[in-house]
Amino acid sequence: SSVLKELKRDELCKIAEIMKLRGFTKGELVLRVGETATWFGIVLDGQLKAAIPKSERWPGAAAGVGGSMQEWRLMQRGAVVGEMALFAGMHRSADVHAMSDGH
C-alpha cells in the first residue's frame, strides 16, 4: 500500500509491535461496505477478494459481472487490507471475502 510505503522504519516497527494474528476461513466476509474502520491487516497466507460497489473505482480493479458489486481485486501474501478507510477516517468501501483459509 502506498500509505505504508510512506512511513519511516521506526513507524513501521511501532505498527508491527501492536499487530495481532487474525485468521480467516474460506467464504468468510472479512470486511463489509459501510462498516466503521477500526483495523487493517496484511495478508500472510491465503487469498482475499475485495468487491467494490459500481460507484467506486480502484486502481488495478477488474470489472465484475452484474449486481451492485462490480469491481474486484484479488489480494494475496503481502497485500494490505483495510488501511484506506482506517487512515482516512472513512467507512469501508469494499466487501472483502476469504477465497481460502489464511491469516
Side-chain angles (χ1 to χ4, degrees):
S1 167
S2 60
V3 174
L4 294 180
K5 288 178 184 175
E6 295 175 13
L7 296 177
K8 296 176 185 168
R9 183 175 174 79
D10 63 323
E11 294 169 322
L12 290 171
C13 288
K14 288 177 184 175
I15 290 172
E17 288 174 6
I18 62 172
M19 291 193 85
K20 298 177 185 174
L21 185 63
R22 180 195 186 281
F24 50 84
T25 56
K26 184 176 181 176
E28 178 183 348
L29 180 60
V30 178
L31 297 175
R32 182 186 310 269
V33 168
E35 286 179 331
T36 300
T38 58
W39 63 274
F40 80 96
I42 300 170
V43 178
L44 298 178
D45 58 62
Q47 292 185 334
L48 299 174
K49 183 169 96 173
I52 61 177
K54 288 181 180 179
S55 59
E56 297 283 333
R57 300 296 287 173
W58 285 359
V65 179
S68 62
M69 304 298 280
Q70 183 169 340
E71 303 282 333
W72 61 270
R73 181 185 306 165
L74 190 63
M75 295 173 284
Q76 301 179 48
R77 182 183 175 97
V80 180
V81 180
E83 83 287 1
M84 293 188 300
L86 181 65
F87 294 151
M90 299 169 54
H91 292 284
R92 302 288 187 200
S93 62
D95 282 348
V96 177
H97 293 270
M99 302 305 289
S100 67
D101 292 349
H103 295 92

